[in-house]
Amino acid sequence: MVMNDSTSTQAADLDAIFSALGDPTRRALLCQLAKGEASVAQLRAPFEMSQPAISKHLKVLENAGLITRATRGTSRPARLHAAHLSEALGWLEDFRKFWQGNFTQLDTLLASMPQQKED
Amino acid sequence: MVMNDSTSTQAADLDAIFSALGDPTRRALLCQLAKGEASVAQLRAPFEMSQPAISKHLKVLENAGLITRATRGTSRPARLHAAHLSEALGWLEDFRKFWQGNFTQLDTLLASMPQQKED
DNA sequence: CCTCAACATAACCATATGGTTATGAATGAT
DNA sequence: ATCATTCATAACCATATGGTTATGTTGAGG
């Protein structure tokens, strides 16, 4: 497994995806969208936040490839684009496998060594 | 499943974890640490970046609960703390399940409706 | 055609982020 | 005791982020 930038998933993608997920409002928006597509007004409803703020968050999610926008009249409904979410999942799962595989070795290694003071 | 802040995982945790993962340097640091614990100097080696910059990144990772620090003499080696990584994984996997479950419904729903122009 | 509704965009602001250089503190070695 | 090494912290800077209000744009309906 390759754990650096030579992976098929571009580092910039992961930057955008993880950063997008780092905001609670945006995670909540994704949760709403998991129930189906929704307009800006609908997405805004649960929040005490201005409409432009929601539009900005949606743009961040769109740039991260996590949602797509349509145009239906004056409405611009958003919907999930799960492919990019799996990129983040993929990285984390790969990382977990890598770490877990290595952890076993490390564990074995530590067990065969004189005890060390940890701090 | 609960997709909001009332989950056992605090929203603030996820904020910190995902934000921490949003930086390529920090992901690279985690990859290095997946091979085993490492000192600041060792972690710094692959980067063209000052030592304080690395220390700052390590603090971000530590605040996110993704690593722990030890103290061995003048060295302060870092090591992975995978439990918090699984929080991010957990959120993403839960989200995927939620979305996938709902996607089926949505798909069925759309199939039973008159065709709509998408944009 | 006029107007309302639904958004987007611009301009602005405060704070956060990611880097730097300079300096300080603690430990190990001589 | 001194000195070098390892790292943390402080101060600073440029840019990004997350919010606001004000305004522009575009399509639907009377």
Side-chain angles (χ1 to χ4, degrees), chain B residues 81-110:
Chain B
H81 185 64
H84 270 65
L85 257 181
S86 0
E87 289 194 20
L89 245 172
W91 189 88
L92 279 171
E93 280 173 348
D94 285 358
F95 187 85
R96 178 170 62 177
K97 284 175 204 159
F98 186 40
W99 178 80
Q100 282 180 339
N102 211 276
F103 178 76
T104 308
Q105 294 174 225
L106 185 66
D107 203 37
T108 311
L109 185 66
L110 289 177

PDB file of all heavy atoms in Angstrom, chain B residues 81-110:
ATOM      1  N   HIS B  81      -2.477   7.497  18.280  1.00  0.00           N
ATOM      2  CA  HIS B  81      -3.540   7.118  19.213  1.00  0.00           C
ATOM      3  C   HIS B  81      -4.753   6.830  18.346  1.00  0.00           C
ATOM      4  O   HIS B  81      -5.545   7.721  18.040  1.00  0.00           O
ATOM      5  CB  HIS B  81      -3.804   8.255  20.196  1.00  0.00           C
ATOM      6  CG  HIS B  81      -4.792   7.894  21.245  1.00  0.00           C
ATOM      7  ND1 HIS B  81      -4.570   6.899  22.170  1.00  0.00           N
ATOM      8  CD2 HIS B  81      -6.006   8.390  21.523  1.00  0.00           C
ATOM      9  CE1 HIS B  81      -5.622   6.806  22.966  1.00  0.00           C
ATOM     10  NE2 HIS B  81      -6.504   7.702  22.595  1.00  0.00           N
ATOM     11  N   ALA B  82      -4.859   5.560  17.951  1.00  0.00           N
ATOM     12  CA  ALA B  82      -5.788   5.209  16.878  1.00  0.00           C
ATOM     13  C   ALA B  82      -7.250   5.310  17.280  1.00  0.00           C
ATOM     14  O   ALA B  82      -8.131   5.403  16.433  1.00  0.00           O
ATOM     15  CB  ALA B  82      -5.498   3.801  16.374  1.00  0.00           C
ATOM     16  N   ALA B  83      -7.521   5.306  18.571  1.00  0.00           N
ATOM     17  CA  ALA B  83      -8.913   5.345  19.011  1.00  0.00           C
ATOM     18  C   ALA B  83      -9.656   6.520  18.384  1.00  0.00           C
ATOM     19  O   ALA B  83     -10.781   6.371  17.897  1.00  0.00           O
ATOM     20  CB  ALA B  83      -8.979   5.436  20.533  1.00  0.00           C
ATOM     21  N   HIS B  84      -9.012   7.675  18.375  1.00  0.00           N
ATOM     22  CA  HIS B  84      -9.698   8.845  17.844  1.00  0.00           C
ATOM     23  C   HIS B  84      -9.834   8.795  16.324  1.00  0.00           C
ATOM     24  O   HIS B  84     -10.752   9.368  15.764  1.00  0.00           O
ATOM     25  CB  HIS B  84      -8.984  10.124  18.286  1.00  0.00           C
ATOM     26  CG  HIS B  84      -9.510  10.641  19.579  1.00  0.00           C
ATOM     27  ND1 HIS B  84      -9.389   9.960  20.760  1.00  0.00           N
ATOM     28  CD2 HIS B  84     -10.207  11.777  19.867  1.00  0.00           C
ATOM     29  CE1 HIS B  84      -9.971  10.652  21.718  1.00  0.00           C
ATOM     30  NE2 HIS B  84     -10.469  11.759  21.196  1.00  0.00           N
ATOM     31  N   LEU B  85      -8.903   8.118  15.686  1.00  0.00           N
ATOM     32  CA  LEU B  85      -9.048   7.950  14.244  1.00  0.00           C
ATOM     33  C   LEU B  85     -10.325   7.171  13.936  1.00  0.00           C
ATOM     34  O   LEU B  85     -11.031   7.464  12.972  1.00  0.00           O
ATOM     35  CB  LEU B  85      -7.843   7.203  13.670  1.00  0.00           C
ATOM     36  CG  LEU B  85      -6.824   8.059  12.945  1.00  0.00           C
ATOM     37  CD1 LEU B  85      -5.697   7.213  12.411  1.00  0.00           C
ATOM     38  CD2 LEU B  85      -7.489   8.821  11.813  1.00  0.00           C
ATOM     39  N   SER B  86     -10.620   6.195  14.781  1.00  0.00           N
ATOM     40  CA  SER B  86     -11.816   5.390  14.522  1.00  0.00           C
ATOM     41  C   SER B  86     -13.082   6.211  14.715  1.00  0.00           C
ATOM     42  O   SER B  86     -14.131   5.853  14.184  1.00  0.00           O
ATOM     43  CB  SER B  86     -11.851   4.151  15.410  1.00  0.00           C
ATOM     44  OG  SER B  86     -10.751   4.093  16.247  1.00  0.00           O
ATOM     45  N   GLU B  87     -12.995   7.311  15.463  1.00  0.00           N
ATOM     46  CA  GLU B  87     -14.180   8.167  15.573  1.00  0.00           C
ATOM     47  C   GLU B  87     -14.534   8.744  14.211  1.00  0.00           C
ATOM     48  O   GLU B  87     -15.707   8.757  13.812  1.00  0.00           O
ATOM     49  CB  GLU B  87     -13.938   9.296  16.574  1.00  0.00           C
ATOM     50  CG  GLU B  87     -13.880   8.804  18.010  1.00  0.00           C
ATOM     51  CD  GLU B  87     -13.979   9.950  19.000  1.00  0.00           C
ATOM     52  OE1 GLU B  87     -14.461  11.030  18.630  1.00  0.00           O
ATOM     53  OE2 GLU B  87     -13.563   9.764  20.155  1.00  0.00           O
ATOM     54  N   ALA B  88     -13.501   9.213  13.515  1.00  0.00           N
ATOM     55  CA  ALA B  88     -13.742   9.753  12.177  1.00  0.00           C
ATOM     56  C   ALA B  88     -14.244   8.642  11.262  1.00  0.00           C
ATOM     57  O   ALA B  88     -15.222   8.808  10.527  1.00  0.00           O
ATOM     58  CB  ALA B  88     -12.461  10.356  11.615  1.00  0.00           C
ATOM     59  N   LEU B  89     -13.570   7.498  11.325  1.00  0.00           N
ATOM     60  CA  LEU B  89     -13.997   6.362  10.522  1.00  0.00           C
ATOM     61  C   LEU B  89     -15.435   6.000  10.842  1.00  0.00           C
ATOM     62  O   LEU B  89     -16.241   5.737   9.943  1.00  0.00           O
ATOM     63  CB  LEU B  89     -13.079   5.166  10.813  1.00  0.00           C
ATOM     64  CG  LEU B  89     -12.232   4.683   9.656  1.00  0.00           C
ATOM     65  CD1 LEU B  89     -11.232   3.645  10.115  1.00  0.00           C
ATOM     66  CD2 LEU B  89     -13.110   4.122   8.551  1.00  0.00           C
ATOM     67  N   GLY B  90     -15.754   5.984  12.126  1.00  0.00           N
ATOM     68  CA  GLY B  90     -17.099   5.641  12.553  1.00  0.00           C
ATOM     69  C   GLY B  90     -18.126   6.581  11.968  1.00  0.00           C
ATOM     70  O   GLY B  90     -19.149   6.141  11.423  1.00  0.00           O
ATOM     71  N   TRP B  91     -17.835   7.884  12.032  1.00  0.00           N
ATOM     72  CA  TRP B  91     -18.795   8.844  11.496  1.00  0.00           C
ATOM     73  C   TRP B  91     -19.007   8.599  10.009  1.00  0.00           C
ATOM     74  O   TRP B  91     -20.138   8.519   9.528  1.00  0.00           O
ATOM     75  CB  TRP B  91     -18.316  10.278  11.721  1.00  0.00           C
ATOM     76  CG  TRP B  91     -19.367  11.295  11.372  1.00  0.00           C
ATOM     77  CD1 TRP B  91     -20.328  11.779  12.207  1.00  0.00           C
ATOM     78  CD2 TRP B  91     -19.577  11.917  10.100  1.00  0.00           C
ATOM     79  NE1 TRP B  91     -21.119  12.675  11.527  1.00  0.00           N
ATOM     80  CE2 TRP B  91     -20.687  12.774  10.237  1.00  0.00           C
ATOM     81  CE3 TRP B  91     -18.931  11.827   8.874  1.00  0.00           C
ATOM     82  CZ2 TRP B  91     -21.158  13.546   9.179  1.00  0.00           C
ATOM     83  CZ3 TRP B  91     -19.414  12.593   7.811  1.00  0.00           C
ATOM     84  CH2 TRP B  91     -20.514  13.443   7.974  1.00  0.00           C
ATOM     85  N   LEU B  92     -17.910   8.444   9.282  1.00  0.00           N
ATOM     86  CA  LEU B  92     -18.011   8.255   7.838  1.00  0.00           C
ATOM     87  C   LEU B  92     -18.747   6.967   7.492  1.00  0.00           C
ATOM     88  O   LEU B  92     -19.578   6.949   6.579  1.00  0.00           O
ATOM     89  CB  LEU B  92     -16.610   8.238   7.218  1.00  0.00           C
ATOM     90  CG  LEU B  92     -15.993   9.600   6.987  1.00  0.00           C
ATOM     91  CD1 LEU B  92     -14.542   9.476   6.570  1.00  0.00           C
ATOM     92  CD2 LEU B  92     -16.767  10.347   5.902  1.00  0.00           C
ATOM     93  N   GLU B  93     -18.456   5.901   8.243  1.00  0.00           N
ATOM     94  CA  GLU B  93     -19.117   4.629   7.939  1.00  0.00           C
ATOM     95  C   GLU B  93     -20.600   4.709   8.268  1.00  0.00           C
ATOM     96  O   GLU B  93     -21.440   4.249   7.494  1.00  0.00           O
ATOM     97  CB  GLU B  93     -18.436   3.489   8.708  1.00  0.00           C
ATOM     98  CG  GLU B  93     -17.153   3.033   8.027  1.00  0.00           C
ATOM     99  CD  GLU B  93     -16.374   2.017   8.867  1.00  0.00           C
ATOM    100  OE1 GLU B  93     -16.706   1.852  10.057  1.00  0.00           O
ATOM    101  OE2 GLU B  93     -15.441   1.409   8.322  1.00  0.00           O
ATOM    102  N   ASP B  94     -20.907   5.311   9.412  1.00  0.00           N
ATOM    103  CA  ASP B  94     -22.316   5.503   9.753  1.00  0.00           C
ATOM    104  C   ASP B  94     -23.009   6.314   8.677  1.00  0.00           C
ATOM    105  O   ASP B  94     -24.121   5.998   8.256  1.00  0.00           O
ATOM    106  CB  ASP B  94     -22.441   6.227  11.100  1.00  0.00           C
ATOM    107  CG  ASP B  94     -22.141   5.294  12.263  1.00  0.00           C
ATOM    108  OD1 ASP B  94     -21.882   4.104  12.011  1.00  0.00           O
ATOM    109  OD2 ASP B  94     -22.155   5.765  13.412  1.00  0.00           O
ATOM    110  N   PHE B  95     -22.312   7.371   8.272  1.00  0.00           N
ATOM    111  CA  PHE B  95     -22.907   8.228   7.260  1.00  0.00           C
ATOM    112  C   PHE B  95     -23.146   7.456   5.970  1.00  0.00           C
ATOM    113  O   PHE B  95     -24.208   7.568   5.354  1.00  0.00           O
ATOM    114  CB  PHE B  95     -22.016   9.430   6.989  1.00  0.00           C
ATOM    115  CG  PHE B  95     -22.647  10.432   6.076  1.00  0.00           C
ATOM    116  CD1 PHE B  95     -23.501  11.392   6.575  1.00  0.00           C
ATOM    117  CD2 PHE B  95     -22.398  10.392   4.718  1.00  0.00           C
ATOM    118  CE1 PHE B  95     -24.103  12.313   5.730  1.00  0.00           C
ATOM    119  CE2 PHE B  95     -23.001  11.301   3.861  1.00  0.00           C
ATOM    120  CZ  PHE B  95     -23.852  12.262   4.372  1.00  0.00           C
ATOM    121  N   ARG B  96     -22.171   6.665   5.578  1.00  0.00           N
ATOM    122  CA  ARG B  96     -22.322   5.882   4.352  1.00  0.00           C
ATOM    123  C   ARG B  96     -23.508   4.941   4.455  1.00  0.00           C
ATOM    124  O   ARG B  96     -24.329   4.863   3.542  1.00  0.00           O
ATOM    125  CB  ARG B  96     -21.052   5.091   4.050  1.00  0.00           C
ATOM    126  CG  ARG B  96     -21.199   4.231   2.796  1.00  0.00           C
ATOM    127  CD  ARG B  96     -19.915   3.641   2.330  1.00  0.00           C
ATOM    128  NE  ARG B  96     -19.321   2.735   3.314  1.00  0.00           N
ATOM    129  CZ  ARG B  96     -18.221   2.046   3.110  1.00  0.00           C
ATOM    130  NH1 ARG B  96     -17.580   2.175   1.973  1.00  0.00           N
ATOM    131  NH2 ARG B  96     -17.733   1.255   4.044  1.00  0.00           N
ATOM    132  N   LYS B  97     -23.593   4.250   5.591  1.00  0.00           N
ATOM    133  CA  LYS B  97     -24.736   3.340   5.772  1.00  0.00           C
ATOM    134  C   LYS B  97     -26.047   4.097   5.650  1.00  0.00           C
ATOM    135  O   LYS B  97     -26.967   3.678   4.957  1.00  0.00           O
ATOM    136  CB  LYS B  97     -24.653   2.670   7.152  1.00  0.00           C
ATOM    137  CG  LYS B  97     -23.632   1.557   7.245  1.00  0.00           C
ATOM    138  CD  LYS B  97     -23.545   1.037   8.685  1.00  0.00           C
ATOM    139  CE  LYS B  97     -22.207   0.389   8.954  1.00  0.00           C
ATOM    140  NZ  LYS B  97     -21.914   0.330  10.412  1.00  0.00           N
ATOM    141  N   PHE B  98     -26.097   5.231   6.350  1.00  0.00           N
ATOM    142  CA  PHE B  98     -27.299   6.055   6.335  1.00  0.00           C
ATOM    143  C   PHE B  98     -27.641   6.437   4.901  1.00  0.00           C
ATOM    144  O   PHE B  98     -28.766   6.249   4.440  1.00  0.00           O
ATOM    145  CB  PHE B  98     -27.046   7.304   7.182  1.00  0.00           C
ATOM    146  CG  PHE B  98     -28.246   8.172   7.364  1.00  0.00           C
ATOM    147  CD1 PHE B  98     -29.499   7.617   7.576  1.00  0.00           C
ATOM    148  CD2 PHE B  98     -28.110   9.553   7.377  1.00  0.00           C
ATOM    149  CE1 PHE B  98     -30.604   8.432   7.767  1.00  0.00           C
ATOM    150  CE2 PHE B  98     -29.206  10.374   7.569  1.00  0.00           C
ATOM    151  CZ  PHE B  98     -30.457   9.803   7.752  1.00  0.00           C
ATOM    152  N   TRP B  99     -26.635   6.941   4.201  1.00  0.00           N
ATOM    153  CA  TRP B  99     -26.885   7.418   2.853  1.00  0.00           C
ATOM    154  C   TRP B  99     -27.256   6.277   1.922  1.00  0.00           C
ATOM    155  O   TRP B  99     -28.188   6.377   1.126  1.00  0.00           O
ATOM    156  CB  TRP B  99     -25.644   8.131   2.317  1.00  0.00           C
ATOM    157  CG  TRP B  99     -25.843   8.594   0.924  1.00  0.00           C
ATOM    158  CD1 TRP B  99     -26.505   9.704   0.524  1.00  0.00           C
ATOM    159  CD2 TRP B  99     -25.421   7.935  -0.258  1.00  0.00           C
ATOM    160  NE1 TRP B  99     -26.509   9.788  -0.832  1.00  0.00           N
ATOM    161  CE2 TRP B  99     -25.860   8.723  -1.350  1.00  0.00           C
ATOM    162  CE3 TRP B  99     -24.702   6.762  -0.519  1.00  0.00           C
ATOM    163  CZ2 TRP B  99     -25.604   8.366  -2.671  1.00  0.00           C
ATOM    164  CZ3 TRP B  99     -24.456   6.408  -1.835  1.00  0.00           C
ATOM    165  CH2 TRP B  99     -24.908   7.208  -2.888  1.00  0.00           C
ATOM    166  N   GLN B 100     -26.519   5.181   2.050  1.00  0.00           N
ATOM    167  CA  GLN B 100     -26.791   4.049   1.166  1.00  0.00           C
ATOM    168  C   GLN B 100     -28.189   3.509   1.395  1.00  0.00           C
ATOM    169  O   GLN B 100     -28.910   3.228   0.453  1.00  0.00           O
ATOM    170  CB  GLN B 100     -25.756   2.951   1.363  1.00  0.00           C
ATOM    171  CG  GLN B 100     -24.449   3.279   0.654  1.00  0.00           C
ATOM    172  CD  GLN B 100     -23.408   2.206   0.846  1.00  0.00           C
ATOM    173  OE1 GLN B 100     -23.503   1.415   1.794  1.00  0.00           O
ATOM    174  NE2 GLN B 100     -22.416   2.191  -0.007  1.00  0.00           N
ATOM    175  N   GLY B 101     -28.566   3.380   2.656  1.00  0.00           N
ATOM    176  CA  GLY B 101     -29.922   2.946   2.976  1.00  0.00           C
ATOM    177  C   GLY B 101     -30.937   3.863   2.338  1.00  0.00           C
ATOM    178  O   GLY B 101     -31.905   3.426   1.706  1.00  0.00           O
ATOM    179  N   ASN B 102     -30.673   5.165   2.465  1.00  0.00           N
ATOM    180  CA  ASN B 102     -31.624   6.132   1.960  1.00  0.00           C
ATOM    181  C   ASN B 102     -31.585   6.217   0.443  1.00  0.00           C
ATOM    182  O   ASN B 102     -32.587   6.528  -0.193  1.00  0.00           O
ATOM    183  CB  ASN B 102     -31.327   7.496   2.575  1.00  0.00           C
ATOM    184  CG  ASN B 102     -32.586   8.301   2.727  1.00  0.00           C
ATOM    185  OD1 ASN B 102     -33.006   8.946   1.785  1.00  0.00           O
ATOM    186  ND2 ASN B 102     -33.200   8.221   3.884  1.00  0.00           N
ATOM    187  N   PHE B 103     -30.424   5.963  -0.106  1.00  0.00           N
ATOM    188  CA  PHE B 103     -30.297   6.047  -1.554  1.00  0.00           C
ATOM    189  C   PHE B 103     -31.235   5.077  -2.244  1.00  0.00           C
ATOM    190  O   PHE B 103     -31.896   5.415  -3.211  1.00  0.00           O
ATOM    191  CB  PHE B 103     -28.855   5.763  -1.974  1.00  0.00           C
ATOM    192  CG  PHE B 103     -28.676   5.798  -3.461  1.00  0.00           C
ATOM    193  CD1 PHE B 103     -28.635   7.001  -4.135  1.00  0.00           C
ATOM    194  CD2 PHE B 103     -28.574   4.619  -4.173  1.00  0.00           C
ATOM    195  CE1 PHE B 103     -28.490   7.029  -5.514  1.00  0.00           C
ATOM    196  CE2 PHE B 103     -28.416   4.641  -5.547  1.00  0.00           C
ATOM    197  CZ  PHE B 103     -28.381   5.845  -6.217  1.00  0.00           C
ATOM    198  N   THR B 104     -31.309   3.883  -1.707  1.00  0.00           N
ATOM    199  CA  THR B 104     -32.196   2.877  -2.270  1.00  0.00           C
ATOM    200  C   THR B 104     -33.623   3.423  -2.324  1.00  0.00           C
ATOM    201  O   THR B 104     -34.290   3.372  -3.343  1.00  0.00           O
ATOM    202  CB  THR B 104     -32.159   1.597  -1.421  1.00  0.00           C
ATOM    203  OG1 THR B 104     -30.805   1.218  -1.248  1.00  0.00           O
ATOM    204  CG2 THR B 104     -32.924   0.487  -2.113  1.00  0.00           C
ATOM    205  N   GLN B 105     -34.059   3.973  -1.195  1.00  0.00           N
ATOM    206  CA  GLN B 105     -35.401   4.544  -1.150  1.00  0.00           C
ATOM    207  C   GLN B 105     -35.566   5.644  -2.197  1.00  0.00           C
ATOM    208  O   GLN B 105     -36.525   5.675  -2.941  1.00  0.00           O
ATOM    209  CB  GLN B 105     -35.661   5.156   0.232  1.00  0.00           C
ATOM    210  CG  GLN B 105     -35.716   4.130   1.356  1.00  0.00           C
ATOM    211  CD  GLN B 105     -35.839   4.809   2.696  1.00  0.00           C
ATOM    212  OE1 GLN B 105     -35.150   4.449   3.640  1.00  0.00           O
ATOM    213  NE2 GLN B 105     -36.690   5.825   2.761  1.00  0.00           N
ATOM    214  N   LEU B 106     -34.586   6.544  -2.208  1.00  0.00           N
ATOM    215  CA  LEU B 106     -34.655   7.675  -3.126  1.00  0.00           C
ATOM    216  C   LEU B 106     -34.685   7.183  -4.570  1.00  0.00           C
ATOM    217  O   LEU B 106     -35.454   7.674  -5.388  1.00  0.00           O
ATOM    218  CB  LEU B 106     -33.446   8.580  -2.918  1.00  0.00           C
ATOM    219  CG  LEU B 106     -33.439   9.878  -3.723  1.00  0.00           C
ATOM    220  CD1 LEU B 106     -34.563  10.781  -3.270  1.00  0.00           C
ATOM    221  CD2 LEU B 106     -32.105  10.585  -3.573  1.00  0.00           C
ATOM    222  N   ASP B 107     -33.856   6.184  -4.824  1.00  0.00           N
ATOM    223  CA  ASP B 107     -33.781   5.620  -6.161  1.00  0.00           C
ATOM    224  C   ASP B 107     -35.145   5.085  -6.567  1.00  0.00           C
ATOM    225  O   ASP B 107     -35.657   5.387  -7.649  1.00  0.00           O
ATOM    226  CB  ASP B 107     -32.748   4.486  -6.163  1.00  0.00           C
ATOM    227  CG  ASP B 107     -32.215   4.254  -7.558  1.00  0.00           C
ATOM    228  OD1 ASP B 107     -32.050   5.243  -8.285  1.00  0.00           O
ATOM    229  OD2 ASP B 107     -31.979   3.095  -7.896  1.00  0.00           O
ATOM    230  N   THR B 108     -35.726   4.304  -5.682  1.00  0.00           N
ATOM    231  CA  THR B 108     -37.061   3.747  -5.941  1.00  0.00           C
ATOM    232  C   THR B 108     -38.059   4.866  -6.168  1.00  0.00           C
ATOM    233  O   THR B 108     -38.858   4.837  -7.096  1.00  0.00           O
ATOM    234  CB  THR B 108     -37.515   2.915  -4.717  1.00  0.00           C
ATOM    235  OG1 THR B 108     -36.460   2.033  -4.368  1.00  0.00           O
ATOM    236  CG2 THR B 108     -38.770   2.134  -5.042  1.00  0.00           C
ATOM    237  N   LEU B 109     -37.953   5.864  -5.316  1.00  0.00           N
ATOM    238  CA  LEU B 109     -38.872   6.992  -5.410  1.00  0.00           C
ATOM    239  C   LEU B 109     -38.764   7.686  -6.756  1.00  0.00           C
ATOM    240  O   LEU B 109     -39.766   7.919  -7.437  1.00  0.00           O
ATOM    241  CB  LEU B 109     -38.559   7.992  -4.290  1.00  0.00           C
ATOM    242  CG  LEU B 109     -39.513   9.186  -4.174  1.00  0.00           C
ATOM    243  CD1 LEU B 109     -40.896   8.717  -3.762  1.00  0.00           C
ATOM    244  CD2 LEU B 109     -38.972  10.197  -3.191  1.00  0.00           C
ATOM    245  N   LEU B 110     -37.539   7.959  -7.160  1.00  0.00           N
ATOM    246  CA  LEU B 110     -37.331   8.663  -8.423  1.00  0.00           C
ATOM    247  C   LEU B 110     -37.825   7.838  -9.607  1.00  0.00           C
ATOM    248  O   LEU B 110     -38.381   8.378 -10.559  1.00  0.00           O
ATOM    249  CB  LEU B 110     -35.846   9.003  -8.600  1.00  0.00           C
ATOM    250  CG  LEU B 110     -35.322  10.093  -7.682  1.00  0.00           C
ATOM    251  CD1 LEU B 110     -33.837  10.302  -7.899  1.00  0.00           C
ATOM    252  CD2 LEU B 110     -36.089  11.389  -7.911  1.00  0.00           C
TER     253      LEU B 110
END
